[in-house]
Amino acid sequence: MRPEDLAFAPDSFAAPTTRAPIRVTWLGTAGFAIEHEGVVVLIDPYVTRASMWQCVRAPLVSDLDAIARYVPRADAIVTGHTHFDHALDVPAIARATGAKVYGSRSCVHLCRASGVPQEQVIDVEGRDARAEVGPFELRFVPSAHSAFALGRVPFPGDIADCDEVPLATHRYKCGAVFGVDVRVAGKRIYHLGSANLVDAAPERDVDLLLMCVAGWTTTERFAPRVMRALAPRAVLLSHWDDFFSPMRKGARALPAMKMPRLVDQLVAQDRDVRIGTVPLLGSIAI
């Protein structure tokens, strides 16, 4: 089974014609743009896609041309955690668009050191944080990162000292991890940016789950825990692509994703759940 074998069509969800559509676009890795009534919320946008060699040899720098091309608009940016493939481009997008940034203390440190004005960055750590952005209500739900690096979370800890930017790959510490509960136009979209969760934290009955695939095989009972905690009606799989490959080449699946087994396990929990993918920069409307 290849990711494209599961592809949702743009009109798979038959969005109501009585209101503006909620458009969900995959930016690659765990990144999404969600748009409704002209307001754009970005979650974990990463479009620079530095090569593996760039990640090893030097501090990472955002590709400003890629940002201008692929994420020219944003009203809010949410960072679920601060590994480089989730957070590298956040400060540059915030500076370019003026969008407010919501994230952990690590995200705040990163943005402030990168020249994002203080009033543009909101710390959502340590409280029942919520935000309203146009028609969107955003809720930040404590979550967990998969321990796929020999049983450990890669680059644990916080970004606490980043006065000198840019940062090397290993200095993008994970920081606190959040799921993002997006409520708009009577729908709930839940972003699970790493293949783990705090079971009791999310509320059930999600319309669309944006689910990270990378590392799921190292998380005990991942599929049944997700389905029990969130009870999604549909699942859009993400973070299965080779994010060292540039955007222009499209999405190429990383090895060892074991997607057929994941799909089987999800369906075993709920035979009616819809599971699919979209191509890089592809979208669905709900």
Side-chain angles (χ1 to χ4, degrees), residues 10-11 13-24 34-39 135-136 184-185 187 189 283-286:
D11 59 351
F13 291 86
T17 58
T18 53
R19 60 156 171 84
I22 305 163
R23 191 163 303 282
V24 181
I34 305 175
E35 180 176 1
H36 181 59
E37 294 182 346
V39 177
F136 292 89
V184 59
K187 296 290 187 179
I189 301 170
S283 63
I284 55 173
I286 64 173

Side-chain angles (χ1 to χ4, degrees), residues 258-275:
K258 300 190 183 301
M259 203 170 286
R261 181 150 61 98
L262 175 60
V263 170
D264 287 346
Q265 290 188 17
L266 294 171
V267 171
Q269 302 300 312
D270 181 355
R271 293 185 179 277
D272 295 324
V273 67
R274 302 176 66 183
I275 303 169

Side-chain angles (χ1 to χ4, degrees), residues 102-186:
Y102 300 87
S104 66
R105 287 192 292 268
S106 289
C107 179
V108 171
H109 283 302
L110 176 64
C111 287
R112 293 293 294 118
S114 303
V116 180
Q118 182 173 349
E119 63 273 13
Q120 208 174 319
V121 188
I122 294 92
D123 178 2
V124 302
E125 194 170 340
R127 57 194 175 97
D128 181 20
R130 301 184 184 189
E132 291 186 3
V133 181
F136 292 89
E137 180 188 354
L138 308 177
R139 302 186 183 189
F140 310 98
V141 183
S143 194
H145 197 284
S146 61
F148 67 81
L150 300 176
R152 301 182 62 183
V153 174
F155 308 136
D158 295 320
I159 300 174
D161 178 12
C162 55
D163 291 338
E164 295 183 6
V165 289
L167 302 179
T169 302
H170 70 277
R171 294 190 64 197
Y172 280 88
K173 305 293 187 181
C174 182
V177 182
F178 296 94
V180 188
D181 190 338
V182 180
R183 303 181 183 215
V184 59

Side-chain angles (χ1 to χ4, degrees), residues 9 16 25 37 44 54 59 70 76 85 87 153 174 183 188 212 214 219 252:
T25 302
E37 294 182 346
D44 288 0
Q54 288 172 317
Y70 299 118
D85 54 328
V153 174
C174 182
R183 303 181 183 215
R188 284 184 64 207
C212 168
T219 299
R252 299 186 297 185

